[in-house]
Amino acid sequence: MEQQPAPAPDGPVGAIETVFRMESPRVIAGVARIVRDVGIAEELAQDALVAALEQWPRDGVPDNPGAWLMAAAKHRAIDLVRRRERYARKLEEVGRDLEATPYHVDVPSDPDDIDDDLLRLVFTACHPVLSAESRIALTLRLLGGLTTAEIARAFLVPEATVAQRIVRAKRTLATKGVAFEVPYGPEREARLGSVLEVIYLVFNEGYAATAGDDLLRPALCEDALRLARVLAELMPKEPEVHGLAALLEFQASRTAARTGPDGGPVLLKDQNRARWNRLLVARGIAALGHADAVAAGAPGPYVLQAAIAACHALAHTYEETDWARIATLYGLLADRSPSPVVELNRAVAVSMAQGPGPALEIVDRLATEPALRDYHLLPSVRGDLLARLGRRAEAREEFVRAAALARNERERELLTARAEDCR
């Protein structure tokens, strides 16, 4: 039988959607500078997309699609401003800007202006006035270009829930009068922490899914890594930004080795390091170097975590890992940013540097921590330490408890198998 040619994967509409996904953050940021409202800016960007869907298949894709979308969205913004009397003063200001910058669809806007606008959009979408869930949803929507359905699938929540979060987030930003600006001074440091936290949360959800059948969600990791790289370009003098970028590069380098052929998790000690992506490792080392070069004081939490990840990346084998240095770095991290999870990770490093006995003492001190009450990795680590001490019956009980707490099916299978190994 003669084979039929495979259909084109995307077609013109798919190509336009791809361009829009790449360019929409800059378009939204550029328009938000005019209308001072990210919700309205997103709607105007969507209007520009509709115009592209109508015109590009007929007239051809312009030489610079991004500039075309930006110009179309900005002209809609100007029209909107003109229609509203309460924006009369703004109309005069924007009108002067238009006269100074003649419209041409293939001439891109000033790159510096675009970068400034993107930075404003990042800080606005990650404003602490929003809940963590809303910040994540809004960031992925405005900066990641993900649809509501894609965000819902990524976090395994109903699409209506994500839609409500996004709507509420836009409304909160408007009612709270959040300025579309990059803060400076102490406020900038506080807000930057929120921005970095959101990006890190997105990456972690992709790197170790909290629930569902799959351990990894690569698209989320890629989105977070891209945002971190963009932020590093926009804020070259912020060591913690480079620290986060370095951390994500190192973590992402291990992605291919983290699961086996069946999709199950592969522990760090069992991973085939030949599958680690050396290009990403090199990028991580370079980013960590940038962080060190611009640092003015003691390293922050992301720089310290990146330094820990670098120790793993540079070790040829699990046994050759510089566990003593990692334990020291976790000690510094515990001083700089104390948390029960950091202490649990420090216990793992101590177990490798000094043996399971001293580490078990640390873990047992964490047994009453409310934050770890339902955290499956606490009994998992304790089970591992007990197994290494030859206390197999106790270890089995811990692995069974960890499996019961795990929400990710792949992790539950691994922990159940480890419990069986302790029989």
Side-chain angles (χ1 to χ4, degrees), residues 298-317:
Y302 291 109
V303 171
L304 287 170
Q305 290 178 81
I308 291 168
C311 290
H312 291 297
L314 296 175
H316 294 296
T317 66

Side-chain angles (χ1 to χ4, degrees), residues 21 45 66 72 140 146 152 177 208 211 293 323 325 335 339 351 358 361 370-371 423:
R21 182 161 174 161
L140 288 176
L146 273 66
W323 292 107
R325 175 169 167 72
D335 291 338
S339 83
S351 78
E361 294 177 9
R423 280 186 181 280

Side-chain angles (χ1 to χ4, degrees), residues 3-4 41 46 51 77 86 93 98 116 124 129-130 207 240 259 270 304 318 324 336 377 397 423:
Q3 267 193 329
Q4 296 297 318
Q46 292 285 346
R86 62 192 177 93
E93 177 187 333
L98 271 184
D116 287 347
T124 302
V129 73
L130 305 175
Y207 197 65
E240 279 291 89
T259 54
D270 299 324
L304 287 170
Y318 185 74
R336 180 71 173 79
L377 291 184
E397 290 180 7
R423 280 186 181 280

Side-chain angles (χ1 to χ4, degrees), residues 82-397:
R82 282 177 173 147
R83 286 197 302 268
R84 297 182 176 180
E85 292 185 358
R86 62 192 177 93
Y87 288 148
R89 184 176 299 174
K90 189 69 184 174
L91 174 62
E92 183 179 355
E93 177 187 333
V94 175
R96 286 198 299 270
D97 290 345
L98 271 184
E99 290 177 3
T101 308
Y103 167 77
H104 192 290
V105 295
D106 287 334
V107 177
S109 304
D110 185 337
D112 291 335
D113 284 347
I114 290 175
D115 288 350
D116 287 347
D117 290 342
L118 267 180
L119 203 53
R120 292 187 188 97
L121 186 61
V122 171
F123 275 89
T124 302
C126 297
H127 197 285
V129 73
L130 305 175
S131 67
E133 293 82 3
S134 296
R135 275 181 266 161
I136 290 171
L138 194 60
T139 299
L140 288 176
R141 175 65 171 268
L142 298 182
L143 291 155
L146 273 66
T147 65
T148 302
E150 288 172 329
I151 299 170
R153 280 200 301 273
F155 287 93
L156 304 179
V157 297
E159 190 173 337
T161 300
V162 172
Q164 289 171 0
R165 285 176 185 170
I166 292 173
V167 169
R168 281 199 298 267
K170 293 175 186 174
R171 187 185 304 139
T172 300
L173 292 176
T175 56
K176 297 287 185 182
V178 173
F180 186 66
E181 63 183 15
V182 178
Y184 291 91
E187 187 183 355
R188 176 168 177 161
E189 184 176 351
R191 295 267 297 278
L192 179 59
S194 173
V195 171
L196 300 182
E197 180 190 17
V198 167
I199 296 174
Y200 196 29
L201 285 173
V202 172
F203 183 89
N204 279 340
E205 186 58 31
Y207 197 65
T210 52
D213 296 332
D214 298 321
L215 180 69
L216 300 175
R217 293 180 188 139
L220 281 179
C221 290
E222 291 167 7
D223 284 327
L225 186 54
R226 183 174 58 80
L227 290 174
R229 288 170 178 167
V230 169
L231 201 60
E233 289 181 6
L234 297 174
M235 307 183 76
K237 297 181 181 178
E238 294 287 349
E240 279 291 89
V241 174
H242 291 295
L244 177 65
L247 175 60
L248 300 196
E249 300 280 9
F250 285 131
Q251 299 285 73
S253 72
R254 300 184 216 150
T255 300
R258 292 196 69 238
T259 54
D262 62 349
V266 179
L267 298 176
L268 180 62
K269 66 183 179 64
D270 299 324
Q271 288 180 12
N272 179 0
R273 297 184 178 221
R275 301 190 67 196
W276 288 6
N277 188 318
R278 290 298 159 186
L279 175 61
L280 295 182
V281 169
R283 291 184 64 99
I285 292 171
L288 190 55
H290 287 309
D292 290 337
V294 299
Y302 291 109
V303 171
L304 287 170
Q305 290 178 81
I308 291 168
C311 290
H312 291 297
L314 296 175
H316 294 296
T317 66
Y318 185 74
E319 292 73 20
E320 291 179 11
T321 306
D322 190 346
W323 292 107
R325 175 169 167 72
I326 291 177
T328 299
L329 289 168
Y330 268 121
L332 294 173
L333 182 60
D335 291 338
R336 180 71 173 79
S337 183
S339 83
V341 173
V342 170
E343 196 65 2
L344 183 61
N345 289 334
R346 187 175 76 86
V348 174
V350 168
S351 78
M352 296 304 297
Q354 302 174 24
L360 187 60
E361 294 177 9
I362 299 173
V363 172
D364 284 345
R365 287 198 294 271
L366 295 171
T368 57
E369 277 289 343
L372 299 182
R373 186 178 57 191
D374 298 324
Y375 190 47
H376 67 288
L377 291 184
L378 177 62
S380 173
V381 170
R382 192 166 191 274
D384 184 69
L385 298 176
L386 289 168
R388 289 165 59 189
L389 288 167
R391 297 160 60 177
R392 299 177 65 81
E394 294 172 83
R396 182 176 181 280
E397 290 180 7

